[in-house]
Amino acid sequence: MSFRPPAIAVFSSAIVAALITLTPPAQAHEYKVVDGAIAVSLTGQAGDPVNGKKTAVHRKKGNCLACHSLPIPEQQFHGEIGPDLNGVASRYSEGEIRARIVDPKLANADTIMPAFHRTEGLFRQIEKFKGKTILSAQEVEDIVAYLMTLTE
Amino acid sequence: MLHRLFILSGVAALGLVAMPPASVAGEWGAYEVGDIRSGYTYAAEETRAIQDDEFGNPGFIWVDYGEELWSDVDGAAGKSCESCHGDASAMKDGVSGMKGVATKYPVFSESMGKPINIEQQINNCRVNNMEADPYKWESKEMLSMTTYVKYQSHGMPVNVDISGAIAPFYEKGKNFYYKRRGQLDMACSNCHVDNAGNMIRANLLSQGMANGFPTYRLKWQKPGSLHRRFRGCNKQVRAKPYANGSDEYVNLEVFLTHRSNGLPIETPAVRN
């Protein structure tokens, strides 16, 4: 059993700052890793698989197709850096998939795959991305929900 | 790597990507030295054909303009490159000739106390020997003169010496190469060592060698310097790039060019 200190996702963009006046302050998303899995939704909400598919494809968001193949034949060019994600839900639990997206370095420190919901331990980030995660907690949940539809 | 076999068959089954050029050891002639392969061997067949066509390779427009500049008198000293260096195509002998010069760059400069690359050497001559303004880094003039000078060594093997005073700068460049950076947290090595030969979306990753620079980029319709490539490869992992000509990039160039030792100088190479 491994335990990781809470990861604090700091939302500091002007847009989010502006939204804060309208909505409650953005949550700092803590998570607990047990046996390589994050069992609980980061937001407490279920993910939306339709949105998750879009976010996974989006080049400025998940951009998962840079490295993986997904069962989305209408998209040209699927990367071959990582394994085919078709059938991934038959191989891993939801919690394992969530941990893999939040911070794949938990499972493999040498992996090329970026941590999509981590802000600490990074070097020379472009200013506008400083303190920001690649994906928001809900975007992670949406992609988890999408990947959970990929059974074989 | 088991999963690679798996993915290759998966991708082929979906018919999504063209198969990369085969990589049987020894089939690339001079473009392959031991484990080291030029970006040429990863380029598409059509791209290689453009590079190989001496009349069709658009990089020669810059070679030709560099040749014009070579004999243009400029600056307060009333000299051209030719005044001192004579026929650029002659083998370097004393001050005259440029053939073979590019193979050893970057070199350690005693006067600067650090390594300099060809662009910086060209500007040293413009400022100190011609009393002319330095060329701006990515200008047509700088790209043309660099391309022209490197072209004089076309086909000769890269031969950077990292012994002596340059050694600590080589080490810094090596650390840069293996250091993860940016929001995507990737090192140069993650793509160009660990994944050379794999498709990253629509691009086939090469070993990221330095022997073809400045390379003519088909998508830009013009050549780009090696440091511009460094900036691009930094920015795509959302890492803050350094300035063209910065010490960091020159050190990285020392490491990377030494890594390319033995490969032929291909300038002007053609790449996507």
Side-chain angles (χ1 to χ4, degrees), chain B residues 105-126:
Chain B
Y105 272 74
V107 297
F108 185 77
S109 157
E110 296 292 345
S111 60
M112 311 276 288
K114 60 185 186 184
I116 56 168
N117 68 3
I118 279 282
E119 283 96 330
Q120 291 168 322
Q121 174 60 52
I122 290 168
N123 270 344
N124 281 350
C125 277
R126 283 189 56 82

Side-chain angles (χ1 to χ4, degrees), chain B residues 31 40 47-54 57 266 268-271:
Chain B
Y31 296 103
Y40 179 90
T47 309
R48 280 181 273 135
I50 297 172
Q51 175 171 324
D52 292 341
D53 179 354
E54 235 188 284
N57 179 339
E266 276 172 41
V270 177
R271 302 284 187 267

Side-chain angles (χ1 to χ4, degrees), chain A residues 59-60 65-66 75-82 84 105 110-111 118 123-124 126-127 129 132-134, chain B residues 3 7-8 16 179-185 190 195 197-202 238-242:
Chain A
R59 286 177 189 262
K60 297 213 153 109
L65 289 175
Q75 283 287 329
Q76 253 197 315
F77 302 121
H78 296 214
E80 51 184 43
I81 309 277
D84 191 341
K105 276 124 199 171
D110 296 328
T111 187
R118 196 186 76 188
F123 172 64
R124 269 192 86 81
I126 287 176
E127 222 50 55
F129 296 117
K132 288 186 206 152
T133 57
I134 303 170
Chain B
H3 76 250
I7 187 107
L8 266 174
L16 290 168
K179 171 105 180 130
R180 289 178 184 265
R181 62 191 67 238
Q183 193 190 35
L184 303 195
D185 200 26
N190 286 132
N195 282 293
N198 287 333
M199 296 294 289
I200 186 157
R201 199 77 209 249
R238 298 182 177 176
K240 223 185 287 172
Y242 291 87

Side-chain angles (χ1 to χ4, degrees), chain A residues 2 5 15 17 22 28 31 44 52 73 100 102 107 120 132 141 151:
Chain A
S2 61
I15 298 162
L22 308 172
Y31 57 85
R100 186 26 99 166
V102 166
E120 75 276 28
K132 288 186 206 152
E141 290 308 324
T151 49

Side-chain angles (χ1 to χ4, degrees), chain B residues 153-174:
Chain B
S153 303
H154 190 268
M156 296 174 76
V158 177
N159 186 21
V160 172
D161 181 6
I162 53 157
S163 63
I166 204 170
F169 299 92
Y170 167 86
E171 285 304 323
K172 283 185 196 171
K174 184 176 178 179

Side-chain angles (χ1 to χ4, degrees), chain B residues 91-114:
Chain B
M91 187 59 95
K92 177 99 186 333
D93 181 16
V95 181
S96 57
M98 283 289 137
K99 191 175 163 84
V101 168
T103 59
K104 63 182 189 220
Y105 272 74
V107 297
F108 185 77
S109 157
E110 296 292 345
S111 60
M112 311 276 288
K114 60 185 186 184

